[in-house]
Amino acid sequence: MDHFQYKNRQLYCEEVPVAELAAKFGTPLFVYSQATLLHHLKEIQTAFAEANPIICYSVKTNGNIHLGRLMAEHGAGFDVTSGGELYRALKAGGDPKKFVFAGVGKTDDEIRYALEQGIMLFNVESEAELHNLADIAHSMGKVAPAALRVNPDLPPKTHVKTDTSVKGVKFGLDIETILEVAQGVINRPGISIVGLHMHLGSPILSADPYRMGAEKGVKLIEALRKQGHPIKYLNMGGGFGINYRKKEALPAKAFAEAILPAIRATGCQLVLEPGRFIVGNAGILLGRVLYLKESGGKHYIIQDAAMNDLIRPTLYDSFHRIWPVNPPEGVPAPPEDFEAEIPNTFKQNVVGPVCESGDFLAKDRALPMVKRGDLLAVFSAGAYGMAMSSNYNARVRAAEVLVTGDTFRLIRRRETYEDLVAAEVACTS
Ligand code: LLP
């Protein structure tokens, strides 16, 4: 269910024509639908209701504090991966008792910051980190609550750059040695191992990896408890896929069916770290067409959104649906299936102004004829869009707008040229 719909050949976000937003706030512009965002959070809460899970929204997916505030108000905790994300989650009004902190390279300062805030769980990714965490906590007179992050060694399941549970990746503790590592801290002051964590990769379009991971998790929890560790939490991470092309994603219920048996078997409190599933289809990126050109027999639409706004196509060859905000006569709405023949279209490349051949949003894509000044909507841009944006080519970062029904508000202003140099100017004065 998403609230970006065409009415009378016009794209709306909820009840607001997005062209109005582009006229008011300029482009490139991220537009979010509150109803879509909350719908997807609710879908997870409902699917997993039996386990009364702690849903830790993954800040890295989209860290805007206004979206974070909505998450917190609707019961979510936060999954953070740096001191900066911890800061964002606190700014959003999150309760640190529902924060988890993952990442292979937590610094001492970040660990101290998280201990001071009293977070729920550190997801520990190596033996060295485990001992460092214990030492720091002990020196502060605290006991760090930790979940061991296991790499469950599953078959490949998503893009190689975002698969985090195949053998040899940098994430987590090897499943073969995790018990040895756990044995080594049985009586160590400053640390209490109270959970098991895994994050399999992202995005995942099948429930099987979760079933396999959860089964391995049950066995590990038994063994950890036998060693004397009071395991209370099973954290199955994030990674639930969404519809980028057509209807390829699974409902949250399918993931729940794969994961809940492990909760029944262990009696653990379930923790989840979804990001993309919640915010991915709740956002679009709007760009305005600057020029059309042909080169080497290829048709280019040059518009003002670029790889610095949405780097996923450049980095992972990701597919994002793109369609005019006001499609011309005879081309009413974006097709259900972009691989099928689409009338009144021809193959075009959607690119931005950045000086790299890799700066594209779509290649050889069936699109109708557009003209200078037309708006294009890039769909499913709510996850890892703004969060991975940059100032490359000294481009100011886009603005973000949140729509609720027939109202909207700016939740991040467009950056200015002064913003671009502010941290440098600060050094000369
Ligand atoms: N938990 C951990 C430990 C993670 O590393 C991640 C994502 C998540 C949760 C949230 O995953 P989600 O539910 O959003 O799938 N930039 C890539 C995705 C990188 C994912 C990184 N970790 C992309 O644009 O596809």
Side-chain angles (χ1 to χ4, degrees), residues 68-250:
R69 190 163 296 278
L70 287 171
M71 292 292 109
E73 283 169 3
H74 288 81
F78 292 93
D79 155 45
V80 304
T81 200
S82 68
E85 287 194 355
L86 175 53
Y87 181 78
R88 277 191 174 279
L90 290 167
K91 274 269 175 207
D95 173 3
K97 301 219 162 42
K98 291 198 269 182
F99 288 7
V100 294
F101 188 174
V104 295
K106 302 175 191 78
T107 66
D108 293 3
D109 281 349
E110 288 175 323
I111 289 172
R112 270 191 286 271
Y113 182 24
L115 282 167
E116 276 158 14
Q117 296 301 323
I119 67 164
M120 176 172 74
L121 279 177
F122 288 84
N123 295 331
V124 175
E125 309 230 10
S126 66
E127 185 171 21
E129 182 198 336
L130 187 62
H131 287 277
N132 189 43
L133 175 61
D135 286 345
I136 294 175
H138 189 54
S139 74
M140 292 169 71
K142 292 179 187 287
V143 176
L148 297 181
R149 175 170 179 173
V150 64
N151 174 352
D153 186 8
L154 300 174
K157 61 204 77 62
T158 187
H159 194 283
V160 65
K161 287 185 184 154
T162 57
D163 198 328
T164 50
S165 59
V166 284
K167 207 182 197 62
V169 295
K170 69 173 177 176
F171 297 101
L173 292 150
D174 281 352
I175 193 155
E176 294 85 8
T177 53
I178 188 170
L179 291 174
E180 217 175 286
V181 172
Q183 186 68 40
V185 291
I186 294 268
N187 293 314
R188 204 173 193 308
I191 193 106
S192 175
I193 297 181
V194 292
L196 183 74
H197 172 239
M198 62 185 87
H199 168 71
L200 305 181
S202 170
I204 298 178
L205 293 170
S206 157
D208 294 340
Y210 290 93
R211 189 169 296 108
M212 290 190 261
E215 280 167 9
K216 292 191 180 194
V218 171
K219 291 201 185 105
L220 276 179
I221 288 169
E222 273 168 25
L224 288 166
R225 283 176 173 162
K226 250 190 217 136
Q227 288 180 333
H229 295 291
I231 306 295
K232 289 192 292 198
Y233 300 100
L234 173 58
N235 179 347
M236 290 299 295
F240 306 157
I242 61 166
N243 296 325
Y244 279 112
R245 266 171 205 276
K246 33 187 178 179
K247 301 277 178 254
E248 69 265 42
L250 290 176

Side-chain angles (χ1 to χ4, degrees), residues 58 60-61 79 102 149 162 197 199 201-203 237-240 273-277 312 316 383-384 388:
S58 179
K60 70 173 76 66
T61 313
D79 155 45
R149 175 170 179 173
T162 57
H197 172 239
H199 168 71
S202 170
F240 306 157
E273 303 169 343
R276 190 189 316 262
F277 191 90
R312 302 191 70 256
Y316 319 115
Y384 307 105
M388 294 176 82

